[in-house]
Amino acid sequence: VSEFSVSEVIQQIRTLLHSSVPPGVRLEMNLCGDLKPIRADPNQIQQLMINLVTNAGEAVEPGSGEVRVSVMPKGRYVCIEVLDNGHGMDAETQARIFEPFYSTRFIGRGMGLSAVAGIVRSYYGSVHVESAPGMGTLVRVLLPVV
C-alpha cells in the first residue's frame, strides 16, 4: 500500500486499457493531473480500471461504441468515472451487477464488478451506477484522498 495519484497509475496502463476494448470501440481518457493522492495498492487500482473499461467496452457496439474514462477531484475524494454509450441496464440487472458470478453474457466469469466493489470497499470508497435501457451506463467510483 502506498500513496499515489490515480491519474498517474491509469496513465501507466493506458495501452493496456486501450487493448481492453474491442476493435472499433473508441476509448477516450480525461485524466486530471492535479489530484491529491490516495492510499491504496496501485495494482488493485489498475485491476479496478481494467475491469471497468473491459465491462464498458463489452457493452457497446463496435464501430459506434465509445467508452470515456474521467478522473477528477471531488471534495475529499478522487472520482473515477467510466461512461459508455452501450445498451444500458434495467433496474433488475443493476441490482445484481456486483454479485459474484452474475453475468448477462454467455462468455465470461462475472467476477469483474464484484472485484471492483471489493477493492473500493477495502479503501472505504463507494461505487455508484447510473443506467437505463438504451441510455448507456455511468459507473462512478469515489476513493478518499490522503
Side-chain angles (χ1 to χ4, degrees):
V1 175
S2 59
E3 294 181 10
F4 57 88
S5 164
V6 171
S7 289
E8 289 175 16
V9 165
I10 294 172
Q11 188 65 36
Q12 292 169 2
I13 60 165
R14 191 179 200 109
T15 302
L16 182 58
L17 292 176
H18 278 279
S19 67
S20 297
V21 296
V25 173
R26 199 165 75 100
L27 176 61
E28 183 182 312
M29 301 182 74
N30 304 308
L31 307 177
C32 178
D34 189 26
L35 288 176
K36 291 182 180 173
I38 65 166
R39 183 177 288 122
D41 178 340
N43 294 321
Q44 286 189 322
I45 301 306
Q46 290 176 346
Q47 188 61 53
L48 175 146
M49 291 307 303
I50 292 165
N51 289 352
L52 290 176
V53 169
T54 298
N55 238 48
E58 290 175 351
V60 299
E61 294 296 321
S64 63
E66 188 176 306
V67 175
R68 186 176 310 137
V69 173
S70 302
V71 178
M72 67 212 83
K74 195 91 158 176
R76 297 184 346 237
Y77 296 88
V78 169
C79 178
I80 302 167
E81 292 184 346
V82 178
L83 174 68
D84 69 62
N85 66 345
H87 46 76
M89 296 178 280
D90 59 27
E92 183 179 319
T93 301
Q94 284 183 61
R96 300 192 60 198
I97 60 172
F98 296 110
E99 293 177 13
F101 305 111
Y102 178 76
S103 179
T104 58
R105 296 178 201 90
F106 294 111
I107 302 169
R109 298 171 305 281
M111 291 300 291
L113 290 179
S114 177
V116 165
I119 291 168
V120 171
R121 272 196 308 272
S122 73
Y123 297 116
Y124 305 101
S126 62
V127 183
H128 308 273
V129 177
E130 297 173 22
S131 187
M135 299 300 292
T137 300
L138 170 65
V139 178
R140 182 176 292 124
V141 173
L142 294 170
L143 296 168
V145 297
V146 174

